[in-house]
Amino acid sequence: MADLLVYRAEGAAVAHGRDLYGFTVTRWRLPATYPPFAAILFVPATWLPVPALKAAFLAGNALLLAAFVALSARLASRRLPLPLLCTATAGALWLEPVFQTLLFGQINLTVGCLALWDLTRPPGARAKGLALGITAGIKLTPAVFVIYLILRGRIREAATATAAFGATVALGAALLPSASADFWTRRLYETGRVGKAWIVDNQSLRGLVARTLGDPAPGLTWALPAAAVAVAGLALAARARRDSHGILLTAFTALLICPISWTHHWVWCVPLLAVLLAEGRARTAALVALVFTARTMWLVPHEGALDLGLPWWQQPLASAYPLLAFGLPLAYDSVAGRRPVVSMERTGKPAPASSPR
C-alpha cells in the first residue's frame, strides 16, 4: 500500500506545517502529487497506526467496490439484488485495475463512486454536480466530465461542478497558501513527479506511443494524437444516444489523453462491463473482462528500461487498455445506432427513442 503511505505523509505535512511537495516516502521515493485540498482530507489518516490504517483502507475499498458495482448497475438502468451484488463484487476483485487499487491503497474507487453517483442522479436533483466538482478537486481528471455536461447542454450541472471545484481550490489556498501557489504554478506541470510515463504501468496514449517508438519523451508525437483523441472522444460522448455511453466514452477519453494513466486508474472497466451485460452484449463483455484480468502488461519484460525495447509483437500486450479503449466507438451505437434506443427512466416510462440526448 505504497500510495496509502503517501496519503498519510501528505496528511502529516498538513497537520505539522511541513512542505507538502518537498518530501518523498517509501523505498520508491514517492512524492505528493494531489492538490492541497486532497492533502487536507488526508489528515485523518495520521490518526491511526499504519497497520490499522491499512486494514481500514482495505475494508473501505472493499465496501466502495460494492458501491461502485451498484452504481454501475444504476448506470446500466439495472438493480442488483444483494446476492448478485455480492457475487459481482467478488468477481470484480479479479479485474487488474481493481486489484491494483487495493494493493496500492489507492483512492480510485472513492473518486469513481463520487463521480458516478453524481452523474447517475435523476435530472434536476438538488445540487447535482456538487460531488463531481469536489471529486475534481481531489483528483483533477474527473474535471473532464464538466466538459461533457456542457456539451450535453446540462449547463446548470456543469456550473455547480465548476463552483464546487473552485471552492476546493479556494479552501486549499486559504488553509495552505504556500502549497497552493507551489502546486498550481509549478507542481501541476511536472508530470515526471508522478512517475516515468513510458513504463508499462502507464496505459495512456502517451505510454503507448513512447513504448512503440522506443522514445521516453515523444513530445508532439503523442501530444497531437492526444488532442485529436480528446476532440473525437468528447464529440462522440456529446452525440451518444444513451447517457451511459456518453459517460463511459468521456471516462475512457480522459484515461487515454492524460499523460499518465496507471493501470489502477482504469477501474472504469467495472461500469463498462455492467453496461455491456445489461445490453446483452455477452461476447464483448467477455472480451473486455479477459483484457482486464489477463494482466498482459506484467508478462512482458519491464525491468529497468526494457519497456522501451519491446518487439512489435509484445507492444499490444504492453498497451492492452488503450487499444481496447480505441475500440469503444465500434462497440457502441454512439452516433448512428443500428437499434432503436429506449431508455427507462426511474418513473418506469420509456424515453423517446429519437431524443438527441
Side-chain angles (χ1 to χ4, degrees):
M1 293 190 178
D3 290 336
L4 175 58
L5 299 181
V6 177
Y7 303 153
R8 190 173 191 271
E10 290 184 43
V14 173
H16 301 293
R18 295 196 292 263
D19 183 2
L20 180 57
Y21 299 107
F23 69 81
T24 59
V25 293
T26 77
R27 62 188 178 95
W28 296 282
R29 301 184 61 129
L30 301 175
T33 59
Y34 290 176
F37 174 71
I40 295 170
L41 299 181
F42 293 147
V43 169
T46 64
W47 301 344
L48 294 174
V50 171
L53 180 64
K54 289 183 176 182
F57 238 74
L58 182 62
N61 265 332
L63 293 174
L64 284 168
L65 177 58
F68 198 46
V69 170
L71 289 168
S72 299
R74 187 164 84 172
L75 178 68
S77 300
R78 296 289 187 273
R79 288 187 179 181
L80 294 180
L82 184 59
L84 186 55
L85 174 62
C86 293
T87 302
T89 302
L93 285 169
W94 290 91
L95 298 168
E96 190 270 351
V98 173
F99 179 82
Q100 293 289 85
T101 291
L102 271 67
L103 182 67
F104 284 105
Q106 258 284 342
I107 60 170
N108 300 307
L109 291 171
T110 302
V111 170
C113 282
L114 283 171
L116 196 54
W117 173 77
D118 206 354
L119 289 166
T120 56
R121 295 174 69 199
R126 185 177 182 181
K128 185 171 168 63
L130 178 65
L132 182 62
I134 294 174
T135 306
I138 298 171
K139 200 167 186 176
L140 299 176
T141 48
V144 72
F145 285 110
V146 177
I147 302 175
Y148 168 73
L149 293 175
I150 294 172
L151 294 175
R152 298 286 279 194
R154 292 152 63 175
I155 305 301
R156 183 175 179 179
E157 295 174 29
T160 302
T162 303
F165 173 72
T168 67
V169 175
L171 180 61
L175 298 181
L176 301 170
S178 178
S180 293
D182 189 18
F183 179 81
W184 295 108
T185 62
R186 179 184 171 193
R187 304 299 184 178
L188 175 61
Y189 312 101
E190 296 177 349
T191 55
R193 282 176 58 83
V194 183
K196 298 173 182 176
W198 44 267
I199 59 179
V200 296
D201 310 50
N202 181 21
Q203 291 291 298
S204 72
L205 181 60
R206 182 181 180 183
L208 183 154
V209 172
R211 290 188 294 271
T212 301
L213 299 179
D215 184 355
L220 290 178
T221 310
W222 86 270
L224 293 179
V229 168
V231 172
L234 290 173
L236 286 173
R239 299 172 62 188
R241 290 175 174 265
R242 307 180 188 183
D243 202 33
S244 59
H245 293 182
I247 290 171
L248 288 172
L249 283 165
T250 302
F252 283 96
T253 296
L255 289 167
L256 283 171
I257 66 176
C258 280
I260 291 181
S261 294
W262 301 132
T263 63
H264 52 74
H265 292 167
W266 290 74
V267 292
W268 286 89
C269 62
V270 175
L272 172 60
L273 284 168
V275 170
L276 287 172
L277 290 171
E279 294 178 355
R281 303 186 182 186
R283 292 182 181 179
T284 305
L287 174 62
V288 170
L290 176 62
V291 170
F292 283 105
T293 54
R295 293 161 167 77
T296 57
M297 67 286 300
W298 306 121
L299 301 179
V300 301
H302 58 276
E303 297 294 333
L306 293 177
D307 316 57
L308 291 174
L310 298 174
W312 66 267
W313 62 273
Q314 290 182 350
Q315 294 291 343
L317 301 178
S319 303
Y321 296 174
L323 292 177
L324 175 69
F326 281 126
L328 277 178
L330 301 178
Y332 286 107
D333 302 325
S334 301
V335 179
R338 290 167 294 182
R339 308 172 187 170
V341 179
V342 178
S343 62
M344 298 299 291
E345 302 291 343
R346 282 171 179 77
T347 58
K349 299 178 181 180
S354 59
S355 171
R357 298 301 182 192

